[in-house]
Amino acid sequence: MSKNILICGVGGQGTVLAAKVLSQAAVSGGQKVLSAETIGMAQRGGSVVSHVRIGSDVYSPVIPRGCADVIIAFEAAEAVRNISYLKTGGTVIVSNEVVQPVTASLSGKFFDSKVMIDYLKQNATVMCVDVKKACMELGSSRVANMVLVGAACKSGIMELSEVKDAVRLLVKPEFYELNVRAVDYCAALDI
């Protein structure tokens, strides 16, 4: 049985580390993992998409459209952009924060996350996370990725203990405790 996790956001949000943590957690649990990343103009706020595929019956690192069990979206517009990857009955874990693209800023045509999250709710089970609030309570905006990974664990896609072990292997020791608190943050929430 396979698990497919698509992680999407924009450059600088920590999507690649989130994918590495989930991949390492699965490997440590004795599972076969394939992953791939698409990074387009990431340094200028462009889209970043990571595919994490887990299971002995997985033969390609790229998730076919309509086959993702979970989409972890660091930004609502990226969740909408990638919703075609989600399988019927899948779950979207999404930050309620919007990162306005440069074109929106220049044109004055902004969008808000509520419209996009309402759209997502028509097509999937949605776990909406107030990542900004979480980061303020945790004392760092640099752990938004681990907050969303923790929410993904709450969906049942990955064991929390395996994720914490992966964080220990992949994050510098001085940041381990903060990242684990971020992973634990959503476990205590009713989302």
Side-chain angles (χ1 to χ4, degrees), residues 73-166:
F74 287 56
E75 202 269 326
E78 293 300 320
V80 171
R81 188 185 329 269
N82 289 288
I83 194 70
S84 64
Y85 283 99
L86 192 67
K87 73 178 187 182
T88 302
T91 300
V92 177
I93 296 146
V94 60
S95 169
N96 64 354
E97 193 168 352
V98 170
V99 178
Q100 298 290 341
V102 173
T103 53
S105 299
L106 294 174
S107 68
K109 295 179 180 175
F110 299 103
F111 51 84
D112 70 45
S113 63
K114 184 178 181 328
V115 173
M116 289 177 277
I117 290 171
D118 287 347
Y119 170 78
L120 293 168
K121 286 179 178 177
Q122 294 171 7
N123 296 287
T125 300
V126 176
M127 297 172 67
C128 189
V129 180
D130 190 340
V131 172
K132 188 173 186 176
K133 178 183 174 191
C135 289
M136 286 179 62
E137 290 180 11
L138 292 163
S140 174
S141 63
R142 301 184 79 184
V143 292
N145 55 354
M146 292 303 116
V147 169
L148 289 168
V149 166
C153 292
K154 193 168 180 102
S155 79
I157 196 75
M158 190 73 64
E159 291 294 326
L160 196 59
S161 60
E162 293 173 347
V163 167
K164 290 179 184 178
D165 290 344

Coordinates of all heavy atoms in Angstrom, one line a residue, residues 73-166:
A73 N 0.0 22.4 1.9 CA 0.1 23.6 1.2 C 0.6 24.7 2.2 O -0.1 25.0 3.1 CB -1.1 24.0 0.5
F74 N 1.7 25.3 1.9 CA 2.2 26.4 2.7 C 1.5 27.7 2.4 O 1.7 28.7 3.0 CB 3.7 26.6 2.5 CG 4.5 25.5 3.1 CD1 4.3 24.2 2.8 CD2 5.5 25.8 4.0 CE1 5.0 23.2 3.4 CE2 6.3 24.8 4.5 CZ 6.0 23.5 4.3
E75 N 0.6 27.7 1.4 CA -0.1 28.9 0.9 C -1.3 28.5 0.2 O -1.3 27.5 -0.6 CB 0.9 29.7 0.0 CG 0.7 31.1 -0.1 CD -0.2 31.4 -1.3 OE1 -0.1 30.6 -2.3 OE2 -1.0 32.3 -1.3
A76 N -2.4 29.2 0.4 CA -3.7 28.7 -0.1 C -3.7 28.7 -1.7 O -4.3 27.8 -2.3 CB -4.8 29.6 0.4
A77 N -3.1 29.7 -2.3 CA -3.1 29.7 -3.8 C -2.4 28.5 -4.4 O -2.8 27.9 -5.4 CB -2.5 31.0 -4.3
E78 N -1.3 28.1 -3.7 CA -0.6 26.9 -4.1 C -1.4 25.6 -4.0 O -1.3 24.7 -4.8 CB 0.7 26.8 -3.4 CG 1.7 27.9 -3.8 CD 2.1 27.9 -5.3 OE1 2.2 26.8 -5.9 OE2 2.2 29.0 -5.8
A79 N -2.2 25.6 -2.9 CA -3.1 24.4 -2.7 C -4.1 24.3 -3.9 O -4.4 23.3 -4.4 CB -3.9 24.6 -1.4
V80 N -4.7 25.5 -4.2 CA -5.7 25.5 -5.4 C -5.0 25.1 -6.6 O -5.5 24.3 -7.4 CB -6.3 26.9 -5.5 CG1 -7.2 27.0 -6.8 CG2 -7.2 27.2 -4.3
R81 N -3.8 25.6 -6.9 CA -3.0 25.3 -8.1 C -2.7 23.8 -8.2 O -2.7 23.3 -9.3 CB -1.7 26.1 -8.1 CG -0.9 26.0 -9.4 CD 0.4 26.7 -9.3 NE 0.6 27.9 -8.5 CZ 0.4 29.1 -8.8 NH1 0.0 29.4 -10.0 NH2 0.5 30.1 -8.0
N82 N -2.6 23.1 -7.1 CA -2.2 21.7 -7.1 C -3.3 20.8 -6.8 O -3.0 19.6 -6.6 CB -1.0 21.5 -6.2 CG 0.3 22.2 -6.8 OD1 0.9 21.7 -7.7 ND2 0.7 23.3 -6.2
I83 N -4.5 21.2 -6.6 CA -5.6 20.4 -6.2 C -5.9 19.2 -7.2 O -6.4 18.2 -6.7 CB -6.9 21.2 -6.0 CG1 -8.0 20.4 -5.2 CG2 -7.5 21.7 -7.3 CD1 -7.6 20.2 -3.8
S84 N -5.4 19.3 -8.4 CA -5.7 18.2 -9.4 C -4.9 17.0 -9.0 O -5.1 15.9 -9.5 CB -5.3 18.6 -10.8 OG -4.0 19.0 -10.9
Y85 N -3.9 17.1 -8.1 CA -3.1 16.0 -7.7 C -3.8 15.2 -6.6 O -3.5 14.0 -6.4 CB -1.7 16.4 -7.1 CG -0.7 16.8 -8.2 CD1 -0.5 18.1 -8.5 CD2 0.0 15.8 -8.9 CE1 0.4 18.4 -9.5 CE2 0.9 16.1 -9.9 CZ 1.1 17.4 -10.2 OH 2.0 17.7 -11.2
L86 N -4.8 15.8 -5.9 CA -5.4 15.1 -4.8 C -6.4 14.0 -5.3 O -7.1 14.2 -6.2 CB -6.2 16.2 -4.0 CG -6.7 15.7 -2.6 CD1 -5.5 15.4 -1.7 CD2 -7.6 16.7 -2.0
K87 N -6.4 12.9 -4.6 CA -7.3 11.8 -4.9 C -8.7 12.1 -4.3 O -8.8 12.9 -3.3 CB -6.8 10.5 -4.5 CG -6.8 10.3 -3.0 CD -6.3 8.9 -2.6 CE -6.6 8.5 -1.1 NZ -6.0 7.2 -0.8
T88 N -9.7 11.5 -4.8 CA -11.0 11.6 -4.2 C -10.9 11.1 -2.7 O -10.4 10.1 -2.5 CB -12.0 10.8 -5.0 OG1 -12.0 11.2 -6.3 CG2 -13.4 10.9 -4.4
G89 N -11.4 12.0 -1.8 CA -11.4 11.6 -0.4 C -10.1 12.0 0.2 O -9.9 11.7 1.4
G90 N -9.2 12.7 -0.5 CA -7.9 13.1 0.1 C -8.1 14.3 1.0 O -9.1 14.9 1.1
T91 N -6.9 14.6 1.7 CA -6.9 15.7 2.7 C -6.0 16.8 2.2 O -4.9 16.5 1.8 CB -6.5 15.2 4.0 OG1 -7.4 14.2 4.4 CG2 -6.5 16.3 5.1
V92 N -6.4 18.1 2.4 CA -5.5 19.2 2.2 C -5.2 19.9 3.5 O -6.2 20.2 4.3 CB -6.2 20.2 1.2 CG1 -5.3 21.5 1.1 CG2 -6.5 19.6 -0.1
I93 N -4.0 20.0 3.8 CA -3.5 20.7 5.0 C -3.0 22.0 4.5 O -2.0 22.1 3.8 CB -2.5 19.9 5.8 CG1 -3.1 18.6 6.3 CG2 -1.9 20.7 7.0 CD1 -2.2 17.5 6.4
V94 N -3.6 23.1 4.9 CA -3.3 24.4 4.3 C -3.1 25.5 5.3 O -3.9 25.6 6.3 CB -4.3 24.8 3.2 CG1 -5.7 24.9 3.8 CG2 -3.9 26.0 2.4
S95 N -2.1 26.3 5.1 CA -1.9 27.5 5.9 C -2.9 28.6 5.4 O -3.2 28.7 4.2 CB -0.5 28.1 5.7 OG -0.4 29.4 6.2
N96 N -3.5 29.3 6.4 CA -4.5 30.3 6.0 C -3.8 31.6 5.5 O -4.5 32.6 5.2 CB -5.5 30.6 7.1 CG -4.8 31.2 8.3 OD1 -3.6 31.3 8.4 ND2 -5.6 31.5 9.3
E97 N -2.5 31.6 5.5 CA -1.8 32.8 5.1 C -1.7 32.9 3.6 O -1.5 31.9 2.9 CB -0.4 32.9 5.7 CG 0.2 34.2 5.6 CD 1.4 34.3 6.5 OE1 1.7 33.4 7.3 OE2 2.2 35.3 6.4
V98 N -1.7 34.1 3.0 CA -1.6 34.3 1.6 C -0.3 35.0 1.3 O 0.1 36.0 2.0 CB -2.7 35.1 1.0 CG1 -2.5 35.6 -0.4 CG2 -4.0 34.4 1.1
V99 N 0.5 34.5 0.3 CA 1.6 35.2 -0.1 C 1.3 35.8 -1.5 O 1.1 35.1 -2.5 CB 2.9 34.3 -0.3 CG1 4.1 35.0 -0.8 CG2 3.2 33.6 1.1
Q100 N 1.1 37.1 -1.5 CA 0.7 37.8 -2.8 C 1.8 37.7 -3.8 O 2.9 38.1 -3.4 CB 0.3 39.2 -2.5 CG -0.9 39.4 -1.6 CD -2.2 39.0 -2.2 OE1 -2.4 38.8 -3.4 NE2 -3.2 38.7 -1.3
P101 N 1.5 37.3 -5.0 CA 2.6 37.3 -6.0 C 2.9 38.7 -6.4 O 2.1 39.6 -6.3 CB 2.0 36.5 -7.2 CG 0.5 36.5 -6.9 CD 0.3 36.7 -5.5
V102 N 4.1 38.9 -7.0 CA 4.5 40.2 -7.4 C 3.5 40.8 -8.4 O 3.2 42.0 -8.3 CB 5.9 40.1 -8.1 CG1 6.3 41.4 -8.7 CG2 6.9 39.7 -7.0
T103 N 3.0 40.0 -9.3 CA 2.0 40.5 -10.3 C 0.8 41.1 -9.6 O 0.2 42.1 -10.1 CB 1.6 39.4 -11.3 OG1 1.1 38.3 -10.6 CG2 2.7 39.0 -12.2
A104 N 0.3 40.5 -8.5 CA -0.8 41.0 -7.8 C -0.5 42.3 -7.1 O -1.3 43.3 -7.2 CB -1.3 40.0 -6.7
S105 N 0.7 42.4 -6.6 CA 1.1 43.7 -5.9 C 1.2 44.8 -7.0 O 0.8 45.9 -6.7 CB 2.5 43.5 -5.3 OG 2.4 42.5 -4.3
L106 N 1.7 44.5 -8.1 CA 1.9 45.5 -9.2 C 0.6 45.9 -9.8 O 0.4 47.1 -10.1 CB 2.8 45.0 -10.3 CG 4.3 44.8 -9.9 CD1 5.0 44.1 -11.0 CD2 4.9 46.1 -9.4
S107 N -0.4 45.0 -9.9 CA -1.7 45.3 -10.5 C -2.7 45.8 -9.5 O -3.7 46.4 -9.9 CB -2.2 44.1 -11.2 OG -2.6 43.1 -10.3
G108 N -2.4 45.6 -8.2 CA -3.4 46.0 -7.2 C -4.6 45.0 -7.1 O -5.6 45.3 -6.4
K109 N -4.5 43.9 -7.7 CA -5.5 42.9 -7.7 C -5.1 41.8 -6.7 O -4.5 40.8 -7.1 CB -5.8 42.3 -9.1 CG -6.3 43.3 -10.1 CD -6.5 42.7 -11.4 CE -7.1 43.8 -12.4 NZ -7.2 43.2 -13.8
F110 N -5.5 42.0 -5.5 CA -5.1 41.0 -4.5 C -6.2 39.9 -4.3 O -7.3 40.2 -4.6 CB -4.9 41.7 -3.1 CG -3.8 42.8 -3.2 CD1 -4.1 44.1 -3.3 CD2 -2.5 42.4 -3.2 CE1 -3.1 45.1 -3.3 CE2 -1.5 43.3 -3.2 CZ -1.8 44.7 -3.3
F111 N -5.8 38.8 -3.8 CA -6.8 37.8 -3.4 C -6.6 37.4 -2.0 O -5.6 37.6 -1.4 CB -6.6 36.6 -4.4 CG -5.2 36.0 -4.4 CD1 -4.7 35.1 -3.5 CD2 -4.4 36.4 -5.5 CE1 -3.4 34.6 -3.6 CE2 -3.1 35.9 -5.6 CZ -2.6 35.0 -4.6
D112 N -7.7 36.9 -1.4 CA -7.6 36.5 0.0 C -7.8 35.0 0.1 O -8.3 34.3 -0.8 CB -8.6 37.2 0.9 CG -10.1 36.8 0.6 OD1 -10.4 35.6 0.5 OD2 -10.9 37.8 0.6
S113 N -7.3 34.4 1.2 CA -7.2 33.0 1.3 C -8.6 32.4 1.6 O -8.9 31.2 1.2 CB -6.3 32.6 2.5 OG -6.8 33.1 3.7
K114 N -9.6 33.2 2.1 CA -10.9 32.6 2.4 C -11.6 32.1 1.2 O -12.2 31.0 1.2 CB -11.8 33.7 3.1 CG -13.1 33.1 3.5 CD -14.0 34.1 4.2 CE -15.3 33.5 4.7 NZ -15.9 32.5 3.9
V115 N -11.5 32.8 0.1 CA -12.2 32.3 -1.1 C -11.5 31.0 -1.6 O -12.2 30.1 -2.0 CB -12.0 33.4 -2.2 CG1 -12.5 32.9 -3.6 CG2 -12.8 34.7 -1.8
M116 N -10.2 31.0 -1.5 CA -9.5 29.7 -2.0 C -9.8 28.6 -1.0 O -10.0 27.4 -1.5 CB -8.0 30.0 -2.1 CG -7.8 30.9 -3.3 SD -6.0 31.3 -3.5 CE -6.0 32.7 -2.3
I117 N -9.8 28.8 0.3 CA -10.0 27.7 1.3 C -11.5 27.3 1.1 O -11.7 26.0 1.2 CB -9.7 28.2 2.7 CG1 -8.1 28.3 2.8 CG2 -10.2 27.2 3.7 CD1 -7.6 29.0 4.0
D118 N -12.4 28.2 0.9 CA -13.8 27.7 0.6 C -13.9 26.8 -0.6 O -14.6 25.8 -0.6 CB -14.7 29.0 0.5 CG -15.0 29.7 1.8 OD1 -14.7 29.1 2.8 OD2 -15.5 30.8 1.7
Y119 N -13.1 27.2 -1.6 CA -13.1 26.3 -2.8 C -12.5 25.0 -2.5 O -13.1 23.9 -2.9 CB -12.3 27.0 -3.9 CG -12.0 26.1 -5.1 CD1 -13.0 25.9 -6.1 CD2 -10.7 25.5 -5.2 CE1 -12.7 25.0 -7.1 CE2 -10.5 24.6 -6.3 CZ -11.5 24.4 -7.2 OH -11.2 23.6 -8.3
L120 N -11.4 24.9 -1.8 CA -10.8 23.7 -1.4 C -11.8 22.8 -0.6 O -11.9 21.6 -0.8 CB -9.5 23.9 -0.6 CG -8.4 24.6 -1.3 CD1 -7.3 25.0 -0.3 CD2 -7.8 23.6 -2.3
K121 N -12.6 23.4 0.3 CA -13.5 22.7 1.1 C -14.6 22.0 0.3 O -15.2 21.0 0.7 CB -14.1 23.6 2.2 CG -13.2 23.9 3.3 CD -13.8 24.8 4.3 CE -12.8 25.1 5.5 NZ -13.3 26.0 6.5
Q122 N -14.9 22.6 -0.9 CA -15.9 22.0 -1.8 C -15.3 20.7 -2.5 O -16.1 19.9 -3.0 CB -16.3 22.9 -2.9 CG -17.0 24.1 -2.4 CD -17.2 25.2 -3.5 OE1 -16.9 25.0 -4.6 NE2 -17.7 26.4 -3.0
N123 N -14.0 20.5 -2.5 CA -13.4 19.4 -3.2 C -12.6 18.5 -2.3 O -12.0 17.5 -2.9 CB -12.4 20.0 -4.3 CG -13.2 20.8 -5.3 OD1 -13.9 20.3 -6.1 ND2 -13.1 22.2 -5.2
A124 N -12.4 18.7 -1.0 CA -11.6 17.9 -0.2 C -11.9 18.1 1.3 O -12.5 19.1 1.7 CB -10.1 18.2 -0.5
T125 N -11.3 17.2 2.1 CA -11.3 17.4 3.5 C -10.1 18.4 3.8 O -9.0 18.2 3.3 CB -11.0 16.1 4.3 OG1 -12.0 15.2 4.0 CG2 -10.9 16.3 5.8
V126 N -10.4 19.5 4.4 CA -9.4 20.6 4.6 C -9.1 20.8 6.1 O -10.0 20.9 6.9 CB -9.9 21.9 4.0 CG1 -8.9 23.0 4.2 CG2 -10.2 21.7 2.5
M127 N -7.8 20.8 6.4 CA -7.4 21.2 7.7 C -6.7 22.5 7.6 O -5.6 22.5 7.0 CB -6.4 20.1 8.3 CG -7.0 18.7 8.5 SD -5.8 17.4 8.9 CE -5.3 18.0 10.5
C128 N -7.3 23.5 8.0 CA -6.7 24.9 7.9 C -5.9 25.2 9.1 O -6.5 25.1 10.2 CB -7.9 25.9 7.6 SG -7.3 27.5 7.2
V129 N -4.7 25.7 8.9 CA -3.8 25.9 10.1 C -3.4 27.4 10.1 O -3.0 27.9 9.0 CB -2.5 25.1 10.0 CG1 -1.6 25.3 11.1 CG2 -2.9 23.6 9.9
D130 N -3.6 28.0 11.2 CA -3.2 29.4 11.4 C -1.7 29.4 11.7 O -1.2 29.5 12.8 CB -3.9 30.1 12.5 CG -3.7 31.6 12.5 OD1 -2.7 32.1 12.0 OD2 -4.5 32.3 13.1
V131 N -0.9 29.3 10.7 CA 0.6 29.1 10.8 C 1.2 30.4 11.4 O 2.1 30.3 12.2 CB 1.2 28.8 9.4 CG1 2.7 28.8 9.5 CG2 0.7 27.4 9.0
K132 N 0.7 31.5 11.0 CA 1.3 32.8 11.5 C 1.2 32.8 13.1 O 2.1 33.2 13.8 CB 0.6 34.0 10.9 CG 1.3 35.3 11.2 CD 0.6 36.4 10.4 CE 1.3 37.7 10.6 NZ 0.8 38.8 9.8
K133 N 0.0 32.5 13.6 CA -0.3 32.5 15.0 C 0.6 31.4 15.7 O 1.2 31.7 16.7 CB -1.7 32.2 15.3 CG -2.1 32.1 16.8 CD -3.5 31.7 17.0 CE -3.8 31.5 18.4 NZ -5.1 30.8 18.6
A134 N 0.7 30.3 15.0 CA 1.6 29.2 15.6 C 3.0 29.7 15.7 O 3.7 29.5 16.8 CB 1.5 28.0 14.7
C135 N 3.5 30.3 14.7 CA 4.9 30.8 14.7 C 5.1 31.8 15.8 O 6.2 31.9 16.4 CB 5.3 31.3 13.3 SG 5.5 29.9 12.1
M136 N 4.1 32.7 15.9 CA 4.2 33.8 17.0 C 4.3 33.1 18.3 O 5.1 33.5 19.2 CB 3.1 34.7 16.9 CG 3.2 35.7 15.7 SD 1.8 36.8 15.5 CE 1.9 37.7 17.1
E137 N 3.5 32.1 18.6 CA 3.5 31.4 19.9 C 4.7 30.6 20.1 O 5.2 30.5 21.2 CB 2.2 30.6 20.0 CG 0.9 31.4 20.1 CD -0.3 30.5 20.2 OE1 -0.2 29.3 20.5 OE2 -1.4 31.1 20.1
L138 N 5.3 30.1 19.0 CA 6.5 29.3 19.1 C 7.8 30.2 19.2 O 8.9 29.8 19.5 CB 6.6 28.3 18.0 CG 5.6 27.2 18.0 CD1 5.5 26.6 16.6 CD2 6.0 26.2 19.1
G139 N 7.6 31.5 18.8 CA 8.7 32.4 18.8 C 9.6 32.5 17.6 O 10.7 33.1 17.7
S140 N 9.2 31.9 16.5 CA 10.0 31.9 15.3 C 9.2 31.7 14.1 O 8.4 30.7 14.0 CB 11.1 30.9 15.4 OG 11.8 30.8 14.1
S141 N 9.4 32.5 13.1 CA 8.6 32.3 11.8 C 9.3 31.2 11.0 O 8.8 30.8 9.9 CB 8.6 33.6 11.0 OG 9.9 34.0 10.7
R142 N 10.5 30.7 11.4 CA 11.2 29.8 10.6 C 10.8 28.3 10.8 O 11.4 27.4 10.2 CB 12.7 29.9 11.0 CG 13.2 31.3 10.7 CD 14.7 31.5 10.9 NE 15.3 30.9 9.7 CZ 16.6 30.8 9.6 NH1 17.4 31.2 10.6 NH2 17.2 30.3 8.5
V143 N 9.8 28.1 11.6 CA 9.3 26.7 11.8 C 7.9 26.5 11.2 O 7.2 25.5 11.6 CB 9.3 26.3 13.3 CG1 10.8 26.2 13.8 CG2 8.5 27.3 14.2
A144 N 7.5 27.4 10.3 CA 6.2 27.2 9.7 C 6.1 25.8 9.0 O 5.0 25.1 9.1 CB 5.9 28.3 8.7
N145 N 7.2 25.4 8.4 CA 7.2 24.1 7.8 C 6.9 22.9 8.8 O 6.2 22.0 8.5 CB 8.5 23.9 7.0 CG 9.7 24.0 7.8 OD1 9.7 24.4 9.0 ND2 10.9 23.7 7.2
M146 N 7.5 23.0 9.9 CA 7.3 21.9 10.9 C 5.9 22.0 11.5 O 5.4 20.9 11.9 CB 8.4 22.0 12.0 CG 9.8 21.6 11.5 SD 9.9 20.0 10.7 CE 10.3 20.5 9.0
V147 N 5.3 23.2 11.6 CA 3.9 23.3 12.1 C 3.0 22.5 11.1 O 2.2 21.7 11.5 CB 3.5 24.7 12.2 CG1 2.0 24.9 12.4 CG2 4.2 25.4 13.3
L148 N 3.2 22.7 9.8 CA 2.4 22.0 8.8 C 2.7 20.5 8.8 O 1.8 19.7 8.6 CB 2.6 22.7 7.4 CG 2.0 24.1 7.4 CD1 2.4 24.8 6.1 CD2 0.5 24.0 7.4
V149 N 4.0 20.1 9.0 CA 4.3 18.7 9.0 C 3.6 18.1 10.3 O 3.1 16.9 10.2 CB 5.8 18.5 9.1 CG1 6.2 17.1 9.5 CG2 6.5 18.8 7.8
G150 N 3.6 18.8 11.4 CA 2.8 18.3 12.5 C 1.4 18.1 12.3 O 0.7 17.1 12.7
A151 N 0.8 19.0 11.5 CA -0.6 18.9 11.1 C -0.8 17.7 10.2 O -1.8 17.0 10.3 CB -1.1 20.2 10.4
A152 N 0.1 17.4 9.4 CA 0.0 16.3 8.5 C 0.0 15.0 9.3 O -0.7 14.0 9.0 CB 1.2 16.2 7.5
C153 N 0.8 15.0 10.4 CA 0.8 13.8 11.3 C -0.6 13.6 11.9 O -1.0 12.5 12.1 CB 1.9 13.9 12.4 SG 3.5 13.9 11.8
K154 N -1.2 14.7 12.2 CA -2.6 14.6 12.8 C -3.6 14.0 11.8 O -4.5 13.3 12.2 CB -3.0 16.0 13.2 CG -4.2 16.0 14.1 CD -4.5 17.4 14.7 CE -5.7 17.4 15.5 NZ -5.4 17.3 16.9
S155 N -3.3 14.1 10.5 CA -4.2 13.5 9.5 C -4.0 12.0 9.4 O -4.8 11.3 8.8 CB -3.9 14.2 8.1 OG -2.7 13.6 7.6
G156 N -2.9 11.5 10.0 CA -2.6 10.1 10.0 C -1.7 9.6 9.0 O -1.4 8.4 8.8
I157 N -1.1 10.5 8.2 CA -0.3 10.1 7.1 C 1.1 9.6 7.6 O 1.8 8.9 6.9 CB -0.1 11.3 6.0 CG1 0.4 10.7 4.7 CG2 0.7 12.4 6.6 CD1 -0.6 10.0 3.9
M158 N 1.5 10.1 8.7 CA 2.8 9.8 9.2 C 2.8 9.7 10.8 O 2.0 10.4 11.4 CB 3.8 10.8 8.8 CG 5.3 10.5 9.0 SD 6.0 9.3 7.9 CE 5.8 10.1 6.3
E159 N 3.7 8.9 11.4 CA 3.7 8.8 12.8 C 4.5 10.0 13.4 O 5.6 10.3 12.9 CB 4.4 7.5 13.3 CG 3.6 6.3 13.0 CD 2.3 6.2 13.8 OE1 2.3 6.7 15.0 OE2 1.3 5.7 13.3
L160 N 4.0 10.6 14.4 CA 4.7 11.8 15.0 C 6.1 11.4 15.5 O 7.0 12.2 15.3 CB 3.8 12.3 16.1 CG 4.1 13.7 16.7 CD1 3.9 14.7 15.6 CD2 3.1 14.0 17.8
S161 N 6.2 10.3 16.1 CA 7.5 9.9 16.7 C 8.6 9.7 15.6 O 9.7 10.1 15.7 CB 7.4 8.6 17.5 OG 6.9 7.5 16.7
E162 N 8.2 9.2 14.4 CA 9.1 9.0 13.3 C 9.5 10.4 12.7 O 10.7 10.5 12.3 CB 8.5 8.1 12.2 CG 8.2 6.7 12.6 CD 7.4 5.9 11.6 OE1 6.8 6.5 10.7 OE2 7.4 4.6 11.8
V163 N 8.6 11.3 12.7 CA 8.9 12.6 12.2 C 9.9 13.3 13.2 O 10.9 13.9 12.7 CB 7.6 13.5 12.1 CG1 8.0 15.0 11.9 CG2 6.8 13.0 10.9
K164 N 9.7 13.2 14.5 CA 10.6 13.8 15.4 C 12.0 13.2 15.3 O 13.0 13.9 15.4 CB 10.1 13.6 16.9 CG 8.9 14.4 17.2 CD 8.4 14.1 18.6 CE 7.1 14.8 18.9 NZ 6.7 14.5 20.3
D165 N 12.1 11.9 15.0 CA 13.4 11.2 14.8 C 14.1 11.8 13.6 O 15.3 12.0 13.5 CB 13.3 9.7 14.7 CG 12.9 9.0 16.0 OD1 13.0 9.7 17.1 OD2 12.4 7.9 16.0
A166 N 13.3 12.0 12.5 CA 13.8 12.6 11.3 C 14.3 14.0 11.5 O 15.3 14.4 11.0 CB 12.7 12.6 10.2

